[in-house]
Amino acid sequence: MNEDGKTQLEEKGPILNVSGAAVRQQVSKCLRCGECCRRSSPSLHVQDLALLRAEKIPLDRFVTLRVGEPIFSPIENKVRFLKRERIKMKEKPGSHECVYLDAQSQACKLYQHRPWQCRAQSCWDPALAQALAEQAPLSRADVLAGAAPLIEVLREHDRRCSFEKLRAAFEQLKQSQGQSIDQVLELLAFEDHFRNFIADKLSLPAGSLDFFFGRSFEDRLGLFGFQVQIEADGSKILKPLESAEKTE
């Protein structure tokens, strides 16, 4: 502090006393660092319908998250259960990183046709992204408008293969100390048969089942601490994750 009572920092002028608002004003554009793309892939909103109809992004790049499915919310930084379905860009296996993030350049490979949520993301001001998160997400019914028979089939899948039923089956498995294992296996087999039977009969595009039906029950068993292991004879058994053999 000098004789006028000022600190050395104050003596150096306004540069070191710049306000937070001024800093945000200077960096209020995307630096394309890839941070938001590593935290989560985007969900689709009504503004993205044109992208899908113009086939700028193929359906096999999307996954439908169904009602009752647990998801990680990067805004809330916690896991929550969905009350409304949403369509989401797929993420790289074992992470929350968007499939369109280039690992080497950290740039979006879809930047010119990126979804609305990506355009709303701004690390310097989260207000727009938070406002968008409060809007109703795009649904399969929105995308498939005009295909009423297919929409009804997907709704029947939701009714007969709901996440509520899967959670209830695993809760019963726990309470019965493993005695109700057949109930779980029957539910897994039925869900697998339903999605593949309909896909075959309707000739749905290859690789698009995650969009039409969401992730299979088998893919979500890790949520309950289990996985399916295929035996040498082709049969499937349910094994706890801690005792299952590690696979690549």
Side-chain angles (χ1 to χ4, degrees):
M1 184 176 294
N2 65 18
E3 59 185 12
D4 295 324
K6 293 184 178 182
T7 65
Q8 290 181 347
L9 288 180
E10 289 173 320
E11 283 184 317
K12 292 185 181 295
I15 293 179
L16 291 177
N17 292 310
V18 130
S19 69
V23 171
R24 286 192 294 273
Q25 185 177 3
Q26 295 304 312
V27 297
S28 57
K29 65 178 182 179
C30 180
L31 300 178
R32 301 181 72 173
C33 65
E35 178 60 25
C36 58
C37 309
R38 286 190 292 272
R39 294 187 65 196
S40 178
S41 64
S43 297
L44 299 189
H45 292 80
V46 66
Q47 296 93 331
D48 298 310
L49 266 175
L51 281 177
L52 273 70
R53 289 172 178 166
E55 299 183 350
K56 297 297 184 182
I57 312 174
L59 288 182
D60 62 11
R61 296 285 86 186
F62 297 110
V63 58
T64 295
L65 307 183
R66 300 194 292 134
V67 172
E69 187 169 357
I71 66 162
F72 174 77
S73 170
I75 293 178
E76 301 174 84
N77 196 33
K78 67 178 183 179
V79 173
R80 62 185 180 86
F81 295 97
L82 282 180
K83 295 182 179 180
R84 301 186 65 165
E85 80 168 53
R86 64 179 58 211
I87 301 168
K88 189 176 176 67
M89 195 83 78
K90 287 185 175 179
E91 295 171 340
K92 296 176 183 178
S95 75
H96 295 297
E97 188 171 298
C98 179
V99 292
Y100 279 107
L101 179 65
D102 185 272
Q104 292 186 335
S105 66
Q106 297 301 306
C108 174
K109 294 185 286 187
L110 191 71
Y111 193 76
Q112 296 303 317
H113 303 296
R114 65 198 186 281
W116 193 255
Q117 181 179 323
C118 302
R119 298 173 188 271
Q121 293 275 26
S122 51
C123 53
W124 60 91
D125 184 4
L128 182 58
Q130 289 175 347
L132 186 64
E134 294 174 1
Q135 297 181 17
L138 198 67
S139 70
R140 290 169 293 177
D142 297 323
V143 178
L144 302 172
L150 175 56
I151 293 172
E152 184 53 39
V153 167
L154 300 183
R155 286 174 176 165
E156 183 65 16
H157 173 260
D158 286 342
R159 286 191 288 268
R160 302 181 68 176
C161 304
S162 68
F163 272 91
E164 286 79 4
K165 288 186 177 181
L166 185 62
R167 286 204 301 270
F170 273 101
E171 181 60 31
Q172 180 61 31
L173 181 66
K174 181 180 178 180
Q175 293 179 359
S176 69
Q177 298 182 339
Q179 295 303 308
S180 63
I181 186 67
D182 288 344
Q183 178 184 346
V184 175
L185 293 175
E186 287 171 7
L187 186 57
L188 295 178
F190 179 77
E191 198 273 336
D192 181 71
H193 171 75
F194 193 118
R195 64 195 290 125
N196 287 292
F197 177 81
I198 296 299
D200 180 62
K201 290 298 182 182
L202 300 183
S203 300
L204 298 179
S208 65
L209 296 197
D210 282 351
F211 164 76
F212 287 105
F213 297 101
R215 288 175 283 199
S216 71
F217 278 172
E218 285 193 16
D219 287 345
R220 305 304 280 153
L221 289 181
L223 296 169
F224 306 95
F226 287 87
Q227 74 171 21
V228 166
Q229 180 170 300
I230 301 177
E231 300 292 86
D233 61 359
S235 61
K236 296 180 179 179
I237 62 173
L238 201 62
K239 297 189 68 174
L241 282 175
E242 58 269 21
S243 63
E245 294 181 3
K246 294 182 178 180
T247 56
E248 292 293 333

